[in-house]
Amino acid sequence: MEKRIKLLIANDSVEFTRDYGRIFDEAGIETNYTQKDGMKLLEKIESLHPDIVLADLFMPRLDGIGVMKAAQGKMPGLKPLFIIISNFTSPTLEREVMMSGASYFAVSPFNAADLADRMVQLCSVSGLLAKNSAKQPENSAEPSLEIQVTEILHQIGVPAHIKGYHYLRDSIIMAIETPDIINAVTKRLYPSVAKRYETTASRVERAIRHAIEVAWDRGDVDILNSYFGYTIHNTRGKPTNSEFIAMISDRLRLHMKSAS
């Protein structure tokens, strides 16, 4: 049996536990609470070692960004995933939160069931759900293509909450299943993705470019270098949309061939 997700929430108010806590519990998440206070939260993180922390951006004594940075300094190998919530947002603020180490940025009020699903997804992608779980059979099947692409995007640092993340994932899968589509990115790939999401090809292109830019700003250099070595050498220049999609799809296609 897989381990339950251990969630720590920096809000122990009656209203919060009544409106949201029950839904998290029903989703199979072990829910723990502490005061909406940055220093109290940091102390609880050290003692509880949660998988995920759900905290407001603005808290007394230490804000959400301060808590994330302090946790990274105190427990670099055990730092939990952070979901930061705020009733105010802007592109600049959201960018700062994500670059400070958050895995997801949610605007309050939020849908608790949707957020619970997001927590499960984040833990699955990061491998947390696999830890301490029952041993899998040696001949267990390879993860689905969608899961493999999702894991790579997570490793690279593409945040899951932006539109470009979903467009990139679908584009990479299309490029694996139909390799020659990478030679017609503008005429075939973008329009195909756009049709799925009922948007335009130009918006798909812009959103993917933005997602790559975010990854390059906040991603781990060693991981980026392992995928795009020649591209980021010295200058740290980011690949184009088509380069990014082609490199990831080629890597996965070769992996699938070697595994077959």
Side-chain angles (χ1 to χ4, degrees):
M1 179 183 295
E2 291 185 338
K3 62 170 285 188
R4 295 183 74 196
I5 296 170
K6 187 187 295 184
L7 169 66
L8 175 59
I9 300 174
N11 191 330
D12 59 359
S13 69
V14 174
E15 295 80 7
F16 192 97
T17 57
R18 179 193 64 211
D19 295 340
Y20 300 114
R22 176 181 56 81
I23 297 175
F24 293 147
D25 289 334
E26 290 176 351
I29 296 172
E30 178 189 321
T31 309
N32 304 270
Y33 298 92
T34 189
Q35 298 174 31
K36 189 190 292 187
D37 177 293
M39 295 303 295
K40 291 284 187 183
L41 173 59
L42 192 58
E43 293 174 4
K44 193 71 172 179
I45 290 172
E46 292 184 71
S47 63
L48 186 65
H49 298 296
D51 298 314
I52 298 183
V53 173
L54 179 64
D56 277 78
L57 175 58
F58 302 107
M59 296 182 289
R61 296 208 288 173
L62 191 64
D63 64 14
I65 291 176
V67 170
M68 288 190 289
K69 292 181 177 179
Q72 176 63 42
K74 289 177 177 290
M75 51 187 80
L78 297 171
K79 187 174 76 72
L81 303 177
F82 281 91
I83 295 178
I84 301 298
I85 56 178
S86 173
N87 56 11
F88 167 80
T89 187
S90 70
T92 301
L93 180 62
E94 186 173 333
R95 181 184 179 86
E96 183 179 1
V97 169
M98 297 304 295
M99 289 182 65
S100 296
S103 296
Y104 192 71
F105 183 85
V107 179
S108 183
F110 52 83
N111 183 296
D114 289 345
L115 192 58
D117 288 342
R118 178 64 67 184
M119 291 177 188
V120 173
Q121 180 187 41
L122 289 171
C123 284
S124 177
V125 169
S126 65
L128 287 172
L129 291 180
K131 295 176 181 178
N132 301 322
S133 62
K135 185 176 180 181
Q136 298 296 315
E138 290 184 5
N139 295 324
S140 59
E142 279 275 306
S144 71
L145 180 57
E146 184 175 353
I147 290 176
Q148 292 183 66
V149 174
T150 298
E151 288 177 345
I152 289 176
L153 293 179
H154 180 79
Q155 290 171 2
I156 291 172
V158 180
H161 71 290
I162 60 177
K163 290 181 179 178
Y165 168 90
H166 301 284
Y167 299 163
L168 260 177
R169 184 175 60 189
D170 282 14
S171 297
I172 292 168
I173 292 173
M174 285 183 189
I176 292 171
E177 295 175 341
T178 312
D180 65 342
I181 202 172
I182 200 66
N183 299 317
V185 171
T186 303
K187 292 183 178 180
R188 292 176 57 196
L189 183 58
Y190 294 154
S192 297
V193 175
K195 185 176 181 180
R196 290 188 180 184
Y197 291 91
E198 298 182 347
T199 185
T200 65
S202 60
R203 287 178 179 172
V204 169
E205 186 276 329
R206 287 196 300 270
I208 289 177
R209 177 157 32 91
H210 171 67
I212 295 172
E213 288 171 352
V214 172
W216 245 248
D217 285 341
R218 67 183 285 253
D220 184 285
V221 175
D222 291 333
I223 293 176
L224 291 173
N225 193 50
S226 70
Y227 285 100
F228 309 98
Y230 82 88
T231 306
I232 69 168
H233 183 64
N234 293 331
T235 61
R236 194 179 165 85
K238 64 182 180 63
T240 63
N241 289 6
S242 57
E243 282 180 326
F244 187 102
I245 295 166
M247 288 177 182
I248 300 299
S249 60
D250 285 347
R251 186 183 181 113
L252 273 172
R253 196 181 302 110
L254 290 171
H255 172 73
M256 291 164 64
K257 283 183 178 179
S258 63
S260 61

